Amino acid sequence: NSTTLNTDDIVLSKIGSIGRIALITLDLGKVNISENNIGLRLKNLSQKQKRFLLFFLLSKYGQLQMFRVGSGNVQLKFNVKDIDNLIIPDFSEFDLNYFENIYNKIIEIQTQSKQLYKEAEKILLNELGLLNHKPKHTLTFTTTIKEIKEAKRFDAEYFQPKYKEIIEKIENYKNGWDYVKNIITYKKGVEVGSEAYQNEGIPFVRVSDFSIYGIDKVEKKISKELYEELKDQYAPREGEILFTKDGTIGISYVLKEDFEGILSGAFLRLNLKSKYKDFEKECLALIFNSIICKMQVEKLSGGALIAHLKPSDFEKFKIPLIDQKTQKIISQKIQESHKLRKESKELLKLAIKKVEEEIEKEANK
């Protein structure tokens, strides 16, 4: 299959954020890639050479080549034929053992990070009796006139038993529950308009730049002047929970430090109300990321995929008040998970810097 890649092949983005690169790891196995990516099948390279090539393509000498040949006025585009024009250094000039060792360390740390996050999620779901819960779509079911009037909804999908099961687990939780509106306050992001985008400047964060692990490589930039104008109201602060209300709804992350950038209108910045000041933010973010909120989003949308979640609807979500001891255990695991992920990023930077230094050393001989 022309779109199939195997372990140790490389995939890179070719539209928009060109130059985003990843190696297909053993845990992924065989994968298919979308038309927005280019796959490099590295049949004639050793494993060590593949590791080095990954770091080289991520270095400024790989990235600059891709940006230079990227075409398109509105959106950068990297074509398959452009691959042939990339200049790759001679592998024999580098200590390939060093790069393989650092790659293996990165993978080991990332695996530990993912495992800790899964453990935290398992503790949360087990606490609510939702571990291994598989929502089932029911073809026939009943509801009452009272429920229809209370919900002010008439679409059958809204009353699917699979949503009711989740809500009942929350409502019957031994430690109680509360509505989102009683737990947090929120501030919305802002839209600056595509005409404000620049190639260089201050990050303007969109949903595509964000995951449960935080803000990643930001594609769009705005001017320093516009940032200064917006920062007091729209720059995210340390300790806030960032929550996506558009696109992929419900992605949440607790910000570890102030961020010099602006969040798009797809985000809400959440802070705890004084009544819940001791609620562990990492635990609350995990609840937002979990099936607990995903099913409430799905229920609201009648089972369809929606592009936007109104804050007024989000306020009505029901949140289990996980007991404090369990909250702390969950929080510690997630904090350690994020710490390890940060460590892996530092190792990646180290490997990339080493590639660049070695290339420059050879060039100066």
Side-chain angles (χ1 to χ4, degrees):
N1 190 318
S2 61
T3 63
T4 301
L5 295 178
N6 294 300
T7 301
D8 286 340
D9 288 339
I10 285 178
V11 59
L12 56 91
S13 57
K14 69 175 184 177
I15 294 175
S17 300
I18 65 171
R20 286 192 174 184
I21 296 164
L23 200 74
I24 306 301
T25 52
L26 187 62
D27 61 316
L28 292 175
K30 188 176 288 188
V31 300
N32 283 307
I33 59 171
S34 75
E35 60 185 10
N36 294 329
N37 296 297
I38 295 175
L40 305 181
R41 293 195 186 96
L42 309 174
K43 294 179 179 178
N44 299 320
L45 298 183
S46 69
Q47 193 175 67
K48 291 177 183 179
Q49 290 172 329
K50 290 174 184 178
R51 308 302 193 232
F52 170 79
L53 181 59
L54 173 70
F55 295 135
F56 168 74
L57 292 174
L58 287 167
S59 76
K60 64 183 179 184
Y61 296 108
Q63 293 285 300
L64 284 171
Q65 288 187 75
M66 284 185 269
F67 275 103
R68 191 179 63 198
V69 297
S71 58
N73 296 324
V74 179
Q75 193 175 39
L76 288 171
K77 187 174 182 181
F78 189 66
N79 297 306
V80 175
K81 67 178 188 305
D82 295 324
I83 295 290
D84 296 335
N85 299 322
L86 294 180
I87 300 170
I88 309 296
D90 186 348
F91 294 113
S92 64
E93 296 171 353
F94 299 89
D95 180 2
L96 298 184
N97 286 326
Y98 171 85
F99 292 105
E100 174 157 50
N101 288 337
I102 203 167
Y103 173 85
N104 290 338
K105 186 65 177 173
I106 290 170
I107 294 298
E108 180 189 336
I109 292 171
Q110 287 183 348
T111 301
Q112 290 172 1
S113 172
K114 289 175 185 175
Q115 183 59 36
L116 281 164
Y117 195 93
K118 284 179 182 176
E119 287 174 12
E121 191 170 41
K122 188 176 178 180
I123 291 167
L124 171 66
L125 297 179
N126 190 55
E127 179 72 10
L128 294 165
L130 287 169
L131 192 62
N132 301 320
H133 177 77
K134 297 285 191 296
K136 290 181 181 177
H137 190 88
T138 308
L139 292 177
T140 59
F141 53 91
T142 60
T143 189
T144 65
I145 293 293
K146 182 184 176 186
E147 287 177 319
I148 290 171
K149 285 182 176 178
E150 284 177 353
K152 297 179 182 177
R153 296 282 293 257
F154 298 92
D155 48 314
E157 184 68 27
Y158 182 85
F159 299 98
Q160 267 282 337
K162 62 180 179 181
Y163 305 133
K164 196 172 183 179
E165 288 171 15
I166 296 288
I167 298 299
E168 284 180 348
K169 290 287 188 184
I170 296 170
E171 290 178 342
N172 295 330
Y173 176 57
K174 62 186 179 185
N175 212 45
W177 63 275
D178 206 343
Y179 291 106
V180 161
K181 67 179 180 181
N182 296 328
I183 299 172
I184 57 96
T185 60
Y186 63 83
K187 294 178 182 177
K188 298 178 185 178
V190 65
E191 288 305 333
V192 297
S194 57
E195 65 277 4
Y197 295 159
Q198 300 186 165
N199 291 329
E200 300 294 331
I202 306 298
F204 180 72
V205 186
R206 301 178 303 160
V207 175
S208 57
D209 308 315
F210 187 66
S211 75
I212 60 171
Y213 298 109
I215 298 168
D216 196 8
K217 184 178 179 182
V218 180
E219 180 189 349
K220 302 298 182 184
K221 306 288 195 302
I222 58 173
S223 69
K224 181 75 173 174
E225 292 74 22
L226 182 55
Y227 169 71
E228 290 295 331
E229 184 184 321
L230 297 173
K231 69 177 184 179
D232 289 346
Q233 193 169 350
Y234 298 107
R237 303 286 179 233
E238 177 186 353
E240 291 180 330
I241 302 174
L242 308 187
F243 177 92
T244 57
K245 67 176 184 66
D246 298 343
T248 306
I249 296 168
I251 306 173
S252 303
Y253 174 78
V254 181
L255 204 58
K256 306 300 182 288
E257 56 191 6
D258 288 354
F259 181 77
E260 188 180 37
I262 299 297
L263 296 179
S264 79
F267 287 88
L268 296 177
R269 293 156 50 203
L270 314 181
N271 283 286
L272 295 173
K273 289 190 171 181
S274 57
K275 180 182 177 182
Y276 287 102
K277 67 182 188 307
D278 294 327
F279 204 117
E280 293 286 342
K281 292 177 183 177
E282 295 289 5
C283 182
L284 185 56
L286 181 63
I287 291 171
F288 291 144
N289 281 321
S290 75
I291 189 175
I292 296 163
C293 276
K294 283 185 172 65
M295 292 298 282
Q296 293 187 68
V297 170
E298 196 177 310
K299 178 184 180 182
L300 183 73
S301 65
L305 289 174
I306 58 171
H308 311 285
L309 174 66
K310 291 190 290 188
S312 58
D313 286 327
F314 176 50
E315 288 180 346
K316 298 170 190 170
F317 282 18
K318 296 177 178 180
I319 302 298
L321 303 176
I322 306 300
D323 77 77
Q324 205 66 32
K325 183 181 177 183
T326 306
Q327 279 189 40
K328 289 190 180 301
I329 294 169
I330 288 171
S331 182
Q332 285 167 1
K333 285 187 178 292
I334 293 181
Q335 285 173 356
E336 185 61 26
S337 171
H338 289 316
K339 182 181 173 185
L340 286 170
R341 192 167 181 85
K342 184 178 180 181
E343 191 179 323
S344 75
K345 282 187 174 182
E346 293 302 319
L347 280 173
L348 179 61
K349 287 179 186 175
L350 185 66
I352 291 170
K353 186 179 179 184
K354 179 76 170 174
V355 168
E356 293 169 352
E357 287 174 350
E358 291 297 315
I359 288 173
E360 287 156 10
K361 191 190 298 180
E362 286 295 322
N364 293 328
K365 279 185 179 178

